[in-house]
């Protein structure tokens, strides 16, 4: 039996995966269509993406359930399938690991709107939707739940509490930061700073504080975010930045950081104490393979360091 994710990573950092959304597009999912429904309609395509990440060295996979809440699925008339889609998402990721015992992280993305009084959704509606999704992911056998790409503390907390209500073993809260126009710092679209997010997450019982996606959050900024998280919390830290910035090339969205460019910033992030490292939009199995090489170097260095200190 493997230990809870948030405990295991205190002893050894783990490698996450790369993007799902942009990989689904490459697998011919059309813009605006429901990628999560592929868990039921085209499970082999989702499995193939997960398997490429496992082959590249991923030890944690996020399920293909980013938009798997009732509120999101309702936009595609798939709200009747919340349970099936999320459970299938977990089993497809599990299958991708084959005989190796990697971690399946049940993915909950934003509900895609604003909470009242600014938007049309009440807190109770969002809570119900997240609890329903989290329950399906936990029942499906997810090792952890990540509430990701969050920009508001209110929605983040509803997600964390939903994961708790569902009985999740490990709960990850992940914020999407944007670099400010003057480039001096970063915060979420709703104005949340990393220190505040980490404090709130710790206070409310999240087990891992994270960041993903965001705008202009390159590896250098990601390093700064790890340091800022570390300055206020002892909880383990997970990071999944984008592969650079999206650009429109021949009417297609392309991300501009190659694996070689991105991986240059990885060693300092590991040295700063990141416990899970992966990547978000635009990243590919090649990015993760490059991450694997640096991570193995890091582990070997630490192993040698440990051996020396015990000699
Ligand atoms: Zn992303």
């Amino acid at each position: 039996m493997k230990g809870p994710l948030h405990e295991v990573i205190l002893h050894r950092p783990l490698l996450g995966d790369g993007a799902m959304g942009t990989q689904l597009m490459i697998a011919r999912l059309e813009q605006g269509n429901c990628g999560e429904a592929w868990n039921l309609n085209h499970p082999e395509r989702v499995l193939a993406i997960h398997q490429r990440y496992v082959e590249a060295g991923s030890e944690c996979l996020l399920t293909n359930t980013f938009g798997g809440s009732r509120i999101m699925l309702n936009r595609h008339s798939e709200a009747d399938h919340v349970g099936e889609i999320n459970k299938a998402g977990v089993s497809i990721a599990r299958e991708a690991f084959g005989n190796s015992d990697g971690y399946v992280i049940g993915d909950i993305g934003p509900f895609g709107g604003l909470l009242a009084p600014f938007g049309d959704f009440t807190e109770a509606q969002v809570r119900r939707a997240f609890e329903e999704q989290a329950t399906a992911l936990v029942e499906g056998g997810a090792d952890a739940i990540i509430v990701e790409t969050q920009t508001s503390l209110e929605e983040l907390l509803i997600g964390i509490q939903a994961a708790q209500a569902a009985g999740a073993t490990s709960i990850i809260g992940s914020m999407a930061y944007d670099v400010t126009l003057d480039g001096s710092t970063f915060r979420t679209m709703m104005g949340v700073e990393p220190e505040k997010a980490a404090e709130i997450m710790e206070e409310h019982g999240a087990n891992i504080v994270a960041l993903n996606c965001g705008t202009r959050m390159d590896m250098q900024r990601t390093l700064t975010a790890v340091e800022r998280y570390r300055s206020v919390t002892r909880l383990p830290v997970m990071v999944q930045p984008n592969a650079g910035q999206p650009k429109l090339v021949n009417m297609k969205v392309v991300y501009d950081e190659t694996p070689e460019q991105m991986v240059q910033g990885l060693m300092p992030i590991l040295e700063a104490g990141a416990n899970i490292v992966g990547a978000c939009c635009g990243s590919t199995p090649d990015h993760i393979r490059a991450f694997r090489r640096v991570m193995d170097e890091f582990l070997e260095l630490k192993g040698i360091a440990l051996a020396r200190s015990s000699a």
Side-chain angles (χ1 to χ4, degrees), residues 119-175:
D120 299 332
F121 292 89
T122 65
E123 188 185 316
Q125 279 175 306
V126 176
R127 188 176 298 281
R128 265 200 309 276
F130 281 172
E131 277 186 18
E132 180 185 30
Q133 185 181 10
T135 301
L137 291 167
V138 169
E139 284 178 5
D143 300 303
I145 295 277
I146 186 168
V147 182
E148 63 139 310
T149 321
Q150 289 297 318
T151 58
S152 95
L153 292 176
E154 292 75 16
E155 189 179 340
L156 168 74
L157 282 187
I158 296 171
I160 288 172
Q161 287 160 354
Q164 285 166 334
T169 309
S170 297
I171 302 171
I172 308 165
S174 188
M175 310 301 286

Side-chain angles (χ1 to χ4, degrees), residues 148-149 212-214 240 242 255 280-282:
E148 63 139 310
T149 321
N212 70 286
C213 222
Q240 296 184 293
N242 286 348
Y255 284 75
C280 203
C281 299

Side-chain angles (χ1 to χ4, degrees), residues 104-126:
V104 173
I105 303 178
D107 189 9
I108 299 181
F111 76 90
L114 291 175
L115 284 163
F118 307 104
D120 299 332
F121 292 89
T122 65
E123 188 185 316
Q125 279 175 306
V126 176

